[in-house]
Amino acid sequence: MRTLSLDGPRGPVVLGEEHKPFFILGPCVIESRSLVREVAAELEAIRERLGVSILFKSSYDKANRTSAKSFRGIGMNEGLAILSEVRSEWGLPVVSDVHDADQVSEAAGVLDVLQIPAFLCRQTDLLLAAGESGKTVHVKKGQFLAPEDMRHVVEKIASTGNRRILVCERGVSFGYHTLVVDFRSLPVLSSLGYPVVFDATHSVQSPGGAGNRSGGDRRFVWPLARAAAIVGCQGIFMEVHPDPDKAPSDGPNMVPLGKLESLLKEILACFSLRGTFPDDPPLTGEPHP
């Protein structure tokens, strides 16, 4: 398993199998400067209390909303300025989505991690531009892909010489409006040689399931996140919000900010159990019939 180092605002942040688990956390979309500051302040306090690595994630633009009338965010310029504040004031590395190759250069000037949305994980020009930025690339597995197909995705990024890659599992389509998690995906993704992240909140999403928006069921974030920590991943992604039921994007999936710390403690306990198991056999050769 390859490790990678982020040049964070407070020095290097090392991510990988031989290091402490890390968390990518924050509201789905930047609704306002005040919301981001509220969440960032609490995440920084939790980081200090628990001694864990936290990356702050929020999208300045959600280009893949169900309806054209849905709130997308406050835009790239203002959003990056707010994320820059988070980075400098609270010392949290920052993550946001890039949707087009033309966005990469400007975004990379602020972000520590460029996130590739699941729907865009096969967009070659976007992957190459993200790789060429030299920044860490957090690429989400498409809901339509088998985990082994992510090999081609990471090879595109690595072809630029950039091997600072995080690979993310976020559920797979199961009929209409439903995602399920096949936990076999985590060891398969790990076999690609890069740190694996489990997206516990988008995995409980119901895409388009609420008519003109996506639904979901946050009750299942808790068991899925605990399971992923035990099965095997290096990081957990969760979107959090002070009042998810009033959030304009992905509210049904997000974890209430007030419940986050207790959930992180549960997940950390599961990660600690992982270290008591014997090593898994390597996933090499052809699968058995």
Side-chain angles (χ1 to χ4, degrees):
M1 169 67 63
R2 187 176 286 114
T3 61
L4 60 89
S5 178
L6 296 177
D7 299 323
R10 293 185 180 174
V13 180
V14 182
L15 312 176
E17 192 167 38
E18 300 303 319
H19 300 272
K20 290 182 179 180
F22 62 94
F23 297 91
I24 303 175
L25 306 168
C28 174
V29 63
I30 299 176
E31 301 170 31
S32 66
R33 183 171 178 268
S34 60
L35 172 79
V36 166
R37 292 181 64 83
E38 177 185 356
V39 176
E42 179 60 17
L43 294 184
E44 196 273 340
I46 291 173
R47 177 180 67 177
E48 295 304 309
R49 289 194 291 266
L50 299 186
V52 295
S53 294
I54 292 178
L55 286 62
F56 183 92
K57 180 271 168 185
S58 196
S59 298
Y60 51 78
D61 179 29
K62 299 294 288 187
N64 57 350
R65 298 302 309 277
T66 302
S67 169
K69 297 179 181 179
S70 298
F71 178 73
R72 290 180 50 163
I74 62 174
M76 188 173 190
N77 292 338
E78 187 177 356
L80 288 176
I82 292 171
L83 291 172
S84 182
E85 285 183 26
V86 170
R87 192 178 192 276
S88 60
E89 188 165 341
W90 287 284
L92 295 167
V94 291
V95 185
S96 197
D97 298 304
V98 289
H99 299 92
D100 187 271
D102 292 339
Q103 296 180 355
V104 168
S105 178
E106 184 174 355
V110 172
L111 302 178
D112 297 284
V113 179
L114 304 177
Q115 182 166 284
I116 307 297
F119 284 126
L120 301 179
C121 72
R122 288 178 50 145
Q123 295 296 101
T124 301
D125 290 345
L126 176 59
L127 296 174
L128 294 178
E132 289 165 356
S133 75
K135 294 288 184 169
T136 296
V137 181
H138 179 224
V139 59
K140 292 193 171 186
K141 179 178 75 66
Q143 304 92 323
F144 44 84
L145 283 184
E148 56 268 24
D149 294 339
M150 284 295 285
R151 177 177 305 279
H152 307 295
V153 174
V154 299
E155 284 176 351
K156 290 179 183 180
I157 300 169
S159 72
T160 67
N162 183 353
R163 289 176 170 77
R164 301 168 77 178
I165 302 169
L166 300 170
V167 186
C168 183
E169 169 59 58
R170 51 109 351 122
V172 64
S173 295
F174 185 75
Y176 299 121
H177 306 312
T178 304
L179 299 173
V180 296
V181 178
D182 178 357
F183 282 103
R184 294 177 298 179
S185 177
L186 299 182
V188 173
L189 292 176
S190 293
S191 73
L192 301 180
Y194 299 94
V196 173
V197 177
F198 176 67
D199 182 343
T201 48
H202 287 101
S203 290
V204 303
Q205 188 184 62
S206 173
N212 64 350
R213 63 191 187 280
S214 291
D217 192 339
R218 73 174 68 94
R219 295 177 302 166
F220 295 106
V221 172
W222 275 252
L224 291 182
R226 294 192 299 251
I230 292 176
V231 172
C233 60
Q234 288 68 56
I236 299 287
F237 176 109
M238 293 186 292
E239 291 182 334
V240 300
H241 194 283
D243 190 354
D245 291 332
K246 294 182 180 179
S249 177
D250 271 353
N253 318 310
M254 285 195 281
V255 173
L257 188 60
K259 296 184 178 181
L260 176 63
E261 187 167 357
S262 62
L263 174 55
L264 294 186
K265 289 177 180 178
E266 293 179 17
I267 295 170
L268 288 169
C270 293
F271 272 115
S272 68
L273 288 175
R274 175 74 186 158
T276 67
F277 302 150
D279 290 339
D280 296 326
L283 293 178
T284 58
E286 297 297 321
H288 291 288

